[in-house]
Every structure is written in C-alpha cells, then in structure tokens.
Amino acid sequence: MMDQVEEFNAYRQIMNDKILGENNKVLKRIFNLDTNAFAEGALDVKTKELLGLVASLVLRCDDCVKYHLESSYKSGMSKDQIMETLSIGTLIGGTIVIPHLRKAYDYWETLETKNIQ
C-alpha cells in the first residue's frame, strides 16, 4: 500500500507526463518557468522554497504545499524552520488556512518518518 508521499508523487508524475505529452507550448513554458523560478539565483533555493510554501498555504493549495514541503525537506530544512514558515502563512492567510496547516503538518511528519532524500 502506498503512503501519502508515494501516492502524491506518483499521481503528480503521471499527470505531468500526460499534460506535457500534449505538446502544448504554453503549458510547457509555464512548467519551465516554474522550474527555473526555483533555481539558485539572487535568492537561494531554500529561501525560494519557503516563499513558495507561504504563498501555497495562503492560497490554500494543498498539492502546492506538499510539493514545497518535500522540496524543503530534501534541501535540509529543519522542522523549526518549517513551523516558523507555516506560522507566517497561517498569520497572513487567517484562520481559514488552519485546515491546510493541519494537512501540511501531517505531511511534514510523514516526510520525517520516511526520511526521504
């Protein structure tokens, strides 16, 4: 049985492959822009991931939150760093973000348990 990290990544990969397989120039450029936006630049990758995490939490995009949590985990961020980031996102987003905060916390615990690399 797949856990939530494996299930999320498998679904994401399958759907990304299907979408990019359509050979739509606009969608390919959006995916490329997203990839390049999070590359090392004037801001380091970790900072960009934390910014993405806050924005995703405020926008209440659970898939986006999972993506940025996993990227943050793989880049070596600590639970304390994530909790501070989630607290800022919850403060900015308001109490409507709390259900997404719960899901984010659960997903982070799963990442820690699995110790993915």
Side-chain angles (χ1 to χ4, degrees):
M1 183 171 154
M2 287 199 298
D3 68 28
Q4 65 174 321
V5 174
E6 291 168 341
E7 185 177 324
F8 172 71
N9 286 320
Y11 176 77
R12 185 174 176 273
Q13 186 66 55
I14 288 167
M15 294 311 300
N16 284 353
D17 290 347
K18 286 182 177 186
I19 291 166
L20 292 172
E22 290 296 323
N23 204 24
N24 180 290
K25 186 184 342 183
V26 173
L27 291 174
K28 283 187 174 191
R29 286 183 176 176
I30 291 169
F31 275 62
N32 184 276
L33 179 62
D34 180 69
T35 298
N36 285 310
F38 285 91
E40 195 78 26
L43 294 174
D44 61 71
V45 172
K46 287 182 179 184
T47 299
K48 289 181 178 186
E49 288 300 334
L50 295 177
L51 290 168
L53 179 56
V54 167
S56 297
L57 189 62
V58 170
L59 292 170
R60 302 185 301 268
C61 176
D62 291 329
D63 281 3
C64 304
V65 168
K66 287 177 180 178
Y67 174 81
H68 291 293
L69 283 172
E70 190 167 334
S71 296
S72 296
Y73 184 85
K74 287 179 177 178
S75 71
M77 283 191 226
S78 69
K79 185 174 186 176
D80 288 340
Q81 290 172 307
I82 295 302
M83 290 309 298
E84 272 194 37
T85 302
L86 292 174
S87 69
I88 297 298
T90 304
L91 173 67
I92 300 302
T95 57
I96 197 167
V97 171
I98 291 173
H100 305 278
L101 169 65
R102 290 182 190 117
K103 292 175 186 175
Y105 190 91
D106 180 48
Y107 199 75
W108 183 262
E109 283 188 326
T110 300
L111 292 169
E112 287 182 319
T113 301
K114 287 185 62 72
N115 194 25
I116 62 158
Q117 299 304 321

